[in-house]
Amino acid sequence: MLDLHSLKFHISPLIYLMLFLTLIPSISPTHSDDSKSPLTVCTSLKSGKQFISKTGGCNERIYETRDWYGEGAVPTGTPGSRLIALNLCTSIKSQIRLIREKCNPRTQLSDTYQRSYGPPAAPLVPSATADLLGSAFLSFDEPEVDGGALISSYTITSTPGAITSLVAPKDINRAKITGLTPGVTYRFSITATNSQGTSLASPSSEAMLAPNLPDAPSITSLILTGDNSARLHYDQTKFDGGAAISSYKATITSSGIVVATRQLSPGVLELTGLPYSTTLSISLSARNIAGSSIASNASNSITTATPPPPPPPEPEPSPTPSSSAAPSPSAPAFTLSSSTEDVTVNTAATGFTITSTGGVIASFAISPAAPAGMSFNTSTGAFSGTPTATQSATTYTITATNATGSATQTFSFTVSAAVISVAAIGGVTAPVKDATPVTTVTAANGYTGTVTWSGSPTTFAAVTTYTATITLTADDGYTITGVSENFFTVAGATSVTHSANSGVITAVFPATEFYAIGGTGPGGGTIFYVAETDFNCGPSLTLSCRYLEAAPITGSTAWTDAGYQWSGNVSTSVNGALQTGIGTGYSNTLAIVAQSSTAERAATKAQSYRGPNNLSDWYLPSQNELYQMLGIVPLDGRYWTSTQYNGVSGNARLYIFNISISPNTASLGGGGKTQLNKVRPIRAFGGP
């Protein structure tokens, strides 16, 4: 017997409303009554009370909205769903509608309405981002169909490891999973759960490396540069844990006090605010998104200066002389706040300020003139700004003048070139068969550069390992001197090496593939998948393949999309066709045809295709193989896969593609095997 309380139906105090629901054991369609408009029922999320909407809508903030349909007009439900029904009694005289178990045949008309009730559809592909050590954040969209019952939770599952995390619906934009093993690459899938069960798993996310803690950096020297400031030189972390280093922390080893730092250049930190009159050493730790490394070895020791003496007390004012004669003015005298500075180009300079120690100063002058980007105030004597060009140590004479005379001080100012600090070299990409080699790097980050390739190819050949020699030239205001060994990086290269202080970089790339995505395969089709390593394929998954190609849709033997039933047997599960992975479609197809070889069905049609080069190993793609075509092969509409819907013998997996929006989308679903859905044959093959 149906538990009405579990469905939270209540009697309204204003309208006597009896709701009778009957679970329908079969989802076989009945005769459609097109004369019935859908019935919208609003259920309070707080009290569970219900009413029939007059407008066809409900306030989504406080009500759950469900549409009920005439018998035979119910949209297809999610896999494993069933139909529930309600009886609507309409007064012949007043047209008032009530939901009751039985109607009075003399005064009321009776109508039956139904809707689907089952587990949710599978969520869409999630997106994963690494977080602190052993954890990650995922974001994903809720399923397009909740199965007719509100989703109560989602479950994240990792591959490998089957690590799971339960997620509340409100957290789908930032769902956290913990317990990951650092250094392991994971993919994640999502299932949705409502009161009627759990959905199928979503397609897996893109691969994500769970980062490890970085190795400790290695300190090379600690040099005192001021009374209580120093420069720390270090070798950058050799292993970054799989995630970029975001910062370094310097700590006094004897006290554990963290020191204020400023990055001057790669491998050089400025330390300020050190305690006075102290002999100390420094340890250094590196931090990435996963956390901080252990502390480095202690540096050499330095001893800071004694603190400066307090300023002298102000002198007592002299008594006013009795004579009416005016006092004689004093000659000017002054000091500078600093006598020397070495600053990096395009970095704000500290400069200096004036402290007068003699007579009132009327004006100031500087010789030679202040360099580009710097200014000198003739009223206050302040020297400030941001230098825009390099210059060697230059001595400036500052002159203070009043009516009595003048006084001078000198200041030495050096503007050094900035050490190049951006490691990634842009514009150089991994070689691809038939592509034209690049000859220059992207001009940015303080340098330009040229690229030459081993063998001097006009275009890249297949199955060939290439080495690029990149020669960088620093822009004005920048220098390569100070760049540490193997500092630069090149995307896609297997190794990148260079000497310290050198702009000549050697980048070795992996061997080019014989076939490239978008190219033509040996069967005459379009290459849409190239694996990093070989995958199992063939009739019994004992062969090794690396590529997938899809049947061409142009040319004399082009494939034409048309609608086909999945198989000649539409009621029995094909247990040998449950596989979803890359390379399994051939095995699935053979299992389907072995059960039923009826012609003009999805599996037999794909198997019988021969293509432009008359090859006999075309087949219906598996679930994951078909998904790889997204954005590469033009597909639009509903396409069969060779994957049997697990647990629903009369259904098979399909994808719904949409190429009318950018980027193209594909949503995974299931359909009855009698449906007429499109087919796109593929074939798997190895290298040349």
Side-chain angles (χ1 to χ4, degrees):
M1 179 180 293
L2 176 66
D3 184 356
L4 295 179
H5 293 288
S6 68
L7 294 176
K8 298 184 178 180
F9 280 77
H10 300 271
I11 298 176
S12 168
L14 301 176
I15 301 175
Y16 182 77
L17 190 67
M18 284 187 84
L19 179 63
F20 174 68
L21 294 174
T22 303
L23 295 178
I24 308 300
S26 169
I27 62 171
S28 299
T30 61
H31 177 67
S32 174
D33 183 358
D34 294 335
S35 64
K36 292 182 182 179
S37 297
L39 184 71
T40 301
V41 175
C42 306
T43 303
S44 170
L45 297 175
K46 182 176 181 181
S47 67
K49 292 183 179 180
Q50 296 187 319
F51 66 87
I52 300 171
S53 171
K54 295 181 180 180
T55 63
C58 309
N59 187 333
E60 298 290 346
R61 292 186 298 107
I62 57 176
Y63 291 102
E64 177 185 352
T65 305
R66 296 295 174 192
D67 290 331
W68 298 74
Y69 301 87
E71 293 181 278
V74 182
T76 302
T78 57
S81 66
R82 57 193 186 282
L83 297 182
I84 56 177
L86 64 79
N87 194 44
L88 181 67
C89 301
T90 304
S91 170
I92 298 174
K93 181 177 180 180
S94 66
Q95 298 301 304
I96 293 176
R97 299 188 297 176
L98 301 174
I99 301 175
R100 290 185 172 176
E101 182 177 352
K102 294 181 179 180
C103 301
N104 186 331
R106 293 179 300 167
T107 61
Q108 296 174 320
L109 298 176
S110 175
D111 281 305
T112 298
Y113 284 80
Q114 300 174 331
R115 70 178 177 89
S116 296
Y117 197 49
L124 301 181
V125 180
S127 174
T129 304
D131 193 46
L132 296 177
L133 187 66
S135 64
F137 281 111
L138 278 81
S139 62
F140 53 92
D141 293 329
E142 61 187 13
E144 295 180 356
V145 180
D146 64 5
L150 292 177
I151 294 174
S152 58
S153 65
Y154 295 88
T155 301
I156 304 171
T157 303
S158 75
T159 301
I163 303 166
T164 60
S165 177
L166 194 65
V167 178
K170 65 181 179 63
D171 296 326
I172 63 175
N173 290 324
R174 192 171 172 80
K176 189 168 187 177
I177 185 170
T178 58
L180 305 178
T181 300
V184 174
T185 298
Y186 289 94
R187 296 179 186 268
F188 303 93
S189 60
I190 311 292
T191 57
T193 300
N194 64 13
S195 61
Q196 299 305 300
T198 299
S199 74
L200 296 168
S202 72
S204 295
S205 68
E206 293 291 331
M208 183 213 77
L209 174 67
N212 212 330
L213 296 178
D215 287 349
S218 177
I219 296 176
T220 56
S221 66
L222 179 64
I223 303 170
L224 191 68
T225 57
D227 289 348
N228 66 335
S229 62
R231 284 189 181 179
L232 182 69
H233 295 257
Y234 62 93
D235 289 335
Q236 299 183 69
T237 301
K238 297 297 183 184
F239 173 62
D240 62 7
I245 301 299
S246 57
S247 63
Y248 289 91
K249 182 175 74 174
T251 305
I252 299 175
T253 55
S254 59
S255 63
I257 295 174
V258 177
V259 179
T261 63
R262 182 170 72 95
Q263 192 81 47
L264 296 180
S265 62
V268 182
L269 288 174
E270 180 182 50
L271 311 184
T272 57
L274 299 173
Y276 285 104
S277 303
T278 303
T279 298
L280 55 85
S281 62
I282 297 292
S283 63
L284 191 65
S285 59
R287 182 176 183 83
N288 64 11
I289 192 173
S292 295
S293 71
I294 61 173
S296 71
N297 57 302
S299 71
N300 58 286
S301 296
I302 59 172
T303 301
T304 56
T306 58
E314 292 289 334
E316 293 291 333
S318 302
T320 303
S322 58
S323 171
S324 60
S328 299
S330 300
F334 67 98
T335 60
L336 303 180
S337 60
S338 175
S339 62
T340 184
E341 184 175 5
D342 184 346
V343 67
T344 301
V345 68
N346 296 317
T347 302
T350 302
F352 59 77
T353 56
I354 298 288
T355 300
S356 175
T357 57
V360 176
I361 297 172
S363 64
F364 293 92
I366 189 171
S367 178
M374 299 296 294
S375 63
F376 180 77
N377 190 312
T378 57
S379 297
T380 64
F383 181 68
S384 60
T386 300
T388 58
T390 60
Q391 70 174 35
S392 58
T394 302
T395 299
Y396 292 87
T397 300
I398 295 87
T399 303
T401 303
N402 66 11
T404 302
S406 63
T408 61
Q409 294 283 356
T410 59
F411 178 77
S412 177
F413 190 55
T414 304
V415 184
S416 302
V419 178
I420 291 171
S421 60
V422 178
I425 298 175
V428 182
T429 56
V432 176
K433 176 180 175 286
D434 295 331
T436 301
V438 298
T439 57
T440 59
V441 304
T442 300
N445 307 321
Y447 55 81
T448 56
T450 60
V451 186
T452 59
W453 296 89
S454 57
S456 303
T458 303
T459 58
F460 290 120
V463 196
T464 303
T465 299
Y466 287 98
T467 299
T469 300
I470 304 167
T471 304
L472 302 182
T473 302
D475 293 338
D476 289 343
Y478 290 88
T479 180
I480 295 175
T481 302
V483 171
S484 60
E485 180 182 10
N486 299 335
F487 167 73
F488 291 106
T489 61
V490 179
T494 55
S495 72
V496 181
T497 57
H498 64 88
S499 302
N501 307 317
S502 173
V504 180
I505 298 100
T506 300
V508 181
F509 292 88
T512 52
E513 295 286 350
F514 193 83
Y515 296 99
I517 288 178
T520 300
T526 300
I527 303 293
F528 67 92
Y529 180 76
V530 178
E532 294 182 2
T533 58
D534 288 355
F535 57 85
N536 293 333
C537 61
S540 56
L541 299 178
T542 57
L543 303 179
S544 294
C545 293
R546 197 177 185 88
Y547 308 93
L548 296 177
E549 64 175 313
I553 57 174
T554 60
S556 59
T557 57
W559 174 265
T560 302
D561 286 345
Y564 300 95
Q565 292 185 15
W566 192 70
S567 170
N569 185 331
V570 297
S571 59
T572 305
S573 178
V574 183
N575 293 330
L578 294 172
Q579 302 166 102
T580 62
I582 301 294
T584 62
Y586 198 169
S587 177
N588 285 348
T589 301
L590 293 179
I592 298 167
V593 176
Q595 185 195 74
S596 173
S597 59
T598 304
E600 297 300 309
R601 298 294 187 265
T604 54
K605 191 69 177 177
Q607 189 188 47
S608 65
Y609 180 66
R610 293 296 178 266
N613 296 329
N614 196 30
L615 300 182
S616 60
D617 56 352
W618 295 89
Y619 60 87
L620 188 64
S622 70
Q623 174 182 311
N624 292 0
E625 289 173 329
L626 182 62
Y627 182 76
Q628 296 300 324
M629 296 190 201
L630 179 63
I632 300 172
V633 176
L635 302 177
D636 196 18
R638 301 164 65 93
Y639 285 80
W640 282 123
T641 77
S642 61
T643 302
Q644 164 75 42
Y645 205 128
N646 192 7
V648 185
S649 60
N651 283 23
R653 282 298 195 184
L654 57 83
Y655 267 104
I656 304 172
F657 289 86
N658 189 339
I659 63 172
S660 62
I661 62 174
S662 180
N664 305 159
T665 62
S667 56
L668 179 65
K673 295 177 180 178
T674 59
Q675 292 181 4
L676 299 180
N677 294 320
K678 296 177 182 179
V679 172
R680 185 63 61 87
I682 70 168
R683 62 181 300 273
F685 61 96

